Amino acid sequence: RRVHGQLPGAVADLLDTPGAFVRVHPLLFSQGINEKQTIANFGSNNRIFASLLGSSELQDSINDEGAQALSAIWAERREHLVNFGLASGPAKLWDLELMDTLLGELVRLVRVSHAAKTVEILTIAADFVRLLGGGRATCCKSSKDRTGMAVTFEQARILSGFHGLIDPVLAAASVMRSHGVRRENAYRNIGKRNYAFNSLQTMLLPKSFK
């Protein structure tokens, strides 16, 4: 199936001819953060309960596959940069050492974080894909509560990393959660400008998502 979309001018200029085909590399990383993931992790760590509580095996498999796919994409891109003289000097497009370090840490986390809430998998994957020039999206089941926490955390991280934000990242994220467009998104979904977390769910969320 063909997907049509408009590219930024700088990207379009890189294409050889108008209407050229662009190869798309879809991949996925998954990290549950709510109480259901806590239960699934317990099932993974206590196999006797796995049939009753579930496990993190599917998530682990998704992340393994995503890390392998991203590694293959970067290996191909890295070779291209080196062969065409774009890895150093005035024509340098990427910091290869930084990219290698980020990807290496992502692969390591995916390998060791089975049955754990390792949200750094999401943040490092986001940073790497952004630096690589890829497009990405964040989504939970309803695209409302957990997505709202993830998006505001990422926005605060971007403000801190690229726009000179002085305030602590989590403090900035908290402001956007209280006053930003995420509450309007909740209103359009459920008719209320509130998130649907109860006290137990909030307690079990990772710190960066509270």
Side-chain angles (χ1 to χ4, degrees):
R1 180 177 298 181
R2 293 186 178 183
V3 177
H4 299 275
Q6 185 173 1
L7 296 173
V11 177
D13 291 342
L14 295 175
L15 300 177
D16 294 331
T17 58
F21 289 97
V22 177
R23 186 169 50 170
V24 177
H25 300 275
L27 52 89
L28 176 67
F29 289 94
S30 175
Q31 178 56 66
I33 63 170
N34 63 5
E35 75 287 353
K36 293 181 180 179
Q37 188 63 48
T38 301
I39 294 171
N41 289 344
F42 183 84
S44 289
N45 290 320
N46 299 272
R47 304 303 299 177
I48 190 174
F49 298 112
S51 60
L52 176 63
L53 302 178
S55 74
S56 65
E57 288 183 1
L58 177 58
Q59 176 175 273
D60 296 340
S61 176
I62 289 171
N63 290 336
D64 285 337
E65 184 176 333
Q68 292 177 23
L70 193 57
S71 296
I73 293 168
W74 174 238
E76 181 180 342
R77 179 62 56 86
R78 196 184 196 287
E79 182 180 11
H80 174 86
L81 293 173
V82 172
N83 290 342
F84 286 86
L86 300 175
S88 61
K92 181 177 179 179
L93 292 181
W94 278 284
D95 184 335
L96 299 191
E97 184 177 352
L98 172 61
M99 300 295 283
D100 289 341
T101 299
L102 281 174
L103 183 59
E105 178 63 7
L106 176 62
V107 171
R108 185 191 71 81
L109 287 175
V110 168
R111 184 175 63 249
V112 303
S113 66
H114 300 301
K117 291 184 182 179
T118 310
V119 296
E120 291 80 9
I121 288 176
L122 301 181
T123 57
I124 294 176
D127 291 344
F128 185 88
V129 171
R130 185 181 300 108
L131 290 173
L132 192 59
R136 47 169 298 279
T138 300
C139 190
C140 65
K141 182 178 179 181
S142 67
S143 300
K144 175 172 56 68
D145 303 308
R146 287 163 291 170
T147 297
M149 301 302 104
V151 169
T152 49
F153 180 50
E154 181 170 356
Q155 290 171 336
R157 290 176 60 248
I158 291 173
L159 288 174
S160 177
F162 298 97
H163 300 285
L165 176 69
I166 299 175
D167 296 335
V169 168
L170 292 184
S174 179
V175 170
M176 288 186 281
R177 290 163 183 170
S178 300
H179 304 285
V181 297
R182 305 314 307 181
R183 295 186 69 181
E184 284 299 315
N185 183 55
Y187 177 76
R188 291 170 182 266
N189 275 271
I190 62 174
K192 298 179 181 179
R193 291 180 175 85
N194 297 321
Y195 302 111
F197 299 121
N198 59 39
S199 57
L200 174 62
Q201 291 172 323
T202 302
M203 181 179 67
L204 294 175
L205 288 174
K207 181 179 179 180
S208 55
F209 286 74
K210 293 183 178 179

